[in-house]
Amino acid sequence: MTAPTPAWQTLLLDPRDPLVFGDGGRIQPVVPRSIHQLPPQATAAGLVRTRLGEGYGFSSKVASQLLEVKIRGPWLAEAKEDGSLDLWTAAPADVAVSGDELVPAERISCHSQEGVTLPEGCPAAIHFLTPPAKVNGVKTRPLNFPFWPLESVIEWGLGTDPNRLPQRDQILAMQERSPKDNLPPIVAEHRIHVAIDPESGTALAEALFNSGGQRYAEGFRVVIEVDDSAADLANAQPPADKALRVLGGEGRLVRCQARPGPTFPSFDAYRPRIEKRIRQIAGSGKELYLRLQLLTPGAFGGWLPPDQPRLHREKLAALRLPRFQAVSGWNLQAGGPRKIRRLVPPGSVYLYGPYDSHAELLAACEQLWGRSLCAGLNGDPDSFLAPPAHDGYGLVLPLPSTLPLAEAP
């Protein structure tokens, strides 16, 4: 039996108020705490499955079927006047800022005398990608705002000159925190609340708590793509067309609008550009590599994606991995917290290769385009935990690349 053809639908979510997203960790009483700027995968999937389940009536059987519903994203999107959407995704981790310049990472290697303990399963000849500490005597710094327009992310991955990067000036402007006219699409907004005694209706003494919210700039939305073709919901009524839905914590509301079709671009839209880049690399005499950048957190159970067709760990040549993200949650069945997951952050970069065949590299890019590197990993049906790929973990942007220049001695 062949798998059903994905039938993507797009949910466009317009926040009415700053959204609050947690990670299952303890909330500090006064210190502002704001971890996520976009909904975590489980939060986005929860909204989607709740929306679909409303038309069917919830039961254990329905809940199990809803685990087959897949999401892609969530994405940040800028809504244009003509109704179109410009996607923003995780910025690449192999970039830093120096003055008014975007600086690419260099390649470094660990020697046997350096006393470095490599992760389990890491090839001995692995290279690491890291931006230089200084450029022309000026220290580099990481990106302040972790999202770029998708077009800019693609061009960076294809090796475009940083000075010619699409929307370069806008990207650099968002790295400055002070000028109000350069505020990024998402800014933190912290609020202090007081607990109310339900009997007296008055404030409880010293019962303060905070919510670290995210306020979205005008025109920016949250986008979640949904595919329910694999779920057996044939007898379900259409989802209730509610204009407002709760997303995240503190009961924050979003306007919800459904659109037919996907939002993430198809591979064919970029096939000519990718083919051209493969020819450019081959014509320069350099070796061909496959560059994989995570667009959503990777839930691999470790630091390395599982082997895929055309993608094997022995071909891993270099990587750029920022510090892991820890998330948890609450198991309603067990009445307790879920196991903590250590996620590979979005923006992380893996380089596989070298590839001898142009056709093989192009086929790998096409096969993995917008797909999840968590494919094949299981969830936990007994606790109603979906497979990571169904919750949109590990979505990847595959592009042809070269091995970056080595660090200057």
Side-chain angles (χ1 to χ4, degrees):
M1 179 180 296
T2 58
T5 302
W8 293 105
Q9 181 188 50
T10 295
L11 293 184
L12 186 60
L13 308 177
D14 182 8
R16 297 187 64 204
D17 216 17
L19 299 180
V20 178
F21 305 124
D23 59 0
R26 180 175 298 176
I27 298 176
Q28 302 299 322
V30 177
V31 179
R33 186 172 184 273
S34 182
I35 302 298
H36 301 278
Q37 292 172 303
L38 286 178
Q41 305 305 126
T43 301
L47 180 145
V48 167
R49 296 191 177 111
T50 299
R51 176 178 175 271
L52 290 172
E54 287 175 351
Y56 200 92
F58 287 104
S59 65
S60 295
K61 180 180 179 181
V62 172
S64 296
Q65 286 296 327
L66 288 171
L67 297 182
E68 299 300 317
V69 175
K70 300 177 182 179
I71 72 167
R72 195 161 60 176
W75 316 117
L76 178 65
E78 184 177 6
K80 300 298 185 179
E81 292 183 358
D82 61 0
S84 62
L85 298 172
D86 286 349
L87 284 187
W88 290 53
T89 60
D94 59 343
V95 59
V97 180
S98 177
D100 59 353
E101 298 292 334
L102 296 172
V103 182
E106 299 174 333
R107 168 170 49 97
I108 62 173
S109 303
C110 295
H111 302 288
S112 57
Q113 296 85 4
E114 290 183 315
V116 176
T117 301
L118 297 177
E120 182 180 355
C122 189
I126 192 74
H127 298 281
F128 297 93
L129 307 177
T130 181
K134 292 183 178 180
V135 175
N136 297 325
V138 179
K139 287 185 178 181
T140 61
R141 64 184 191 278
L143 298 172
N144 286 334
F145 187 67
F147 300 101
W148 282 10
L150 177 59
E151 186 69 23
S152 302
V153 175
I154 292 175
E155 288 299 324
W156 180 271
L158 289 172
T160 297
D161 184 339
N163 293 320
R164 299 181 179 179
L165 197 70
Q167 302 190 52
R168 171 185 175 275
D169 293 343
Q170 184 180 8
I171 291 171
L172 286 169
M174 289 187 302
Q175 308 314 313
E176 303 298 333
R177 295 182 182 273
S178 54
K180 292 186 176 181
D181 56 341
N182 288 330
L183 288 177
I186 308 174
V187 294
E189 182 172 310
H190 303 292
R191 298 181 180 182
I192 302 297
H193 311 266
V194 61
I196 303 297
D197 185 331
E199 295 184 1
S200 65
T202 59
L204 294 174
E206 300 181 358
L208 296 176
F209 64 97
N210 84 91
S211 64
Q214 307 294 337
R215 180 173 290 278
Y216 289 68
E218 184 176 356
F220 283 88
R221 310 287 187 267
V222 177
V223 166
I224 306 173
E225 294 178 287
V226 183
D227 171 27
D228 61 358
S229 58
D232 186 13
L233 299 171
N235 296 324
Q237 297 297 317
D241 188 17
K242 293 183 179 179
L244 298 178
R245 293 188 176 273
V246 174
L247 179 63
E250 302 297 326
R252 302 296 170 85
L253 298 176
V254 294
R255 296 184 180 91
C256 182
Q257 176 187 359
R259 295 185 178 185
T263 301
F264 193 82
S266 68
F267 177 79
D268 286 340
Y270 287 92
R271 182 190 295 271
R273 180 71 179 89
I274 290 173
E275 290 178 338
K276 179 181 178 181
R277 179 57 177 159
I278 292 177
R279 292 193 299 268
Q280 287 175 340
I281 296 173
S284 68
K286 297 180 180 179
E287 292 181 312
L288 291 167
Y289 285 83
L290 174 64
R291 183 184 193 276
L292 301 179
Q293 179 193 322
L294 291 183
L295 301 178
T296 58
F300 307 132
W303 63 276
L304 184 64
D307 284 352
Q308 317 264 336
R310 304 181 188 274
L311 192 66
H312 303 284
R313 66 179 59 199
E314 61 266 20
K315 274 188 167 290
L316 180 63
L319 68 160
R320 169 69 174 172
L321 300 184
R323 182 177 175 82
F324 70 84
Q325 296 177 347
V327 298
S328 181
W330 192 260
N331 186 337
L332 292 175
Q333 296 291 113
R338 292 189 183 274
K339 182 180 178 180
I340 294 176
R341 282 178 168 180
R342 290 190 173 190
L343 307 177
V344 179
S348 299
V349 175
Y350 298 87
L351 281 180
Y352 287 79
Y355 283 78
D356 296 326
S357 168
H358 298 189
E360 183 184 5
L361 179 55
L362 180 65
C365 290
E366 182 172 14
Q367 180 178 353
L368 296 171
W369 184 264
R371 304 291 180 88
S372 173
L373 294 183
C374 299
L377 299 179
N378 297 321
D380 185 2
D382 292 337
S383 64
F384 299 100
L385 187 67
H390 292 192
D391 282 353
Y393 284 105
L395 299 180
V396 70
L397 179 67
L399 295 168
S401 182
T402 60
L403 202 59
L405 296 175
E407 178 186 35

